[in-house]
Amino acid sequence: MLGRTRARILGRLAQPTSTTEPAQRLGVTPGTVSRHLGVLHRTGLVTRARHGHLVLYLRSPLGDRLLT
């Protein structure tokens, strides 16, 4: 269920970030990252918070445990 792309995205969320930074680093579109982040959020692996016009994502404690 996690898959390579989602695992790579999750690994990059140690600090709050929008969809743009992971998309640029992974060579995919922000829309692709957004869809993966939606799944990761629904499963409780990331949290999200609005900061102005941006939505910032951060790995949750559950996501941290999954990666360690």
Side-chain angles (χ1 to χ4, degrees):
M1 167 131 168
L2 190 58
R4 173 186 253 168
T5 302
R6 287 185 189 142
R8 291 175 70 199
I9 292 169
L10 188 62
R12 300 208 178 269
L13 296 177
Q15 300 295 320
T17 190
S18 68
T19 59
T20 306
E21 187 275 332
Q24 290 172 342
R25 288 188 179 261
L26 299 174
V28 297
T29 67
T32 297
V33 171
S34 180
R35 284 190 297 278
H36 286 299
L37 286 170
V39 171
L40 293 170
H41 181 260
R42 286 190 299 277
T43 59
L45 297 175
V46 300
T47 61
R48 64 182 175 200
R50 184 161 294 280
H51 187 269
H53 68 282
L54 293 175
V55 175
L56 299 178
Y57 294 86
L58 178 65
R59 195 169 51 233
S60 71
L62 178 61
D64 286 339
R65 286 193 304 273
L66 181 66
L67 291 180
T68 57

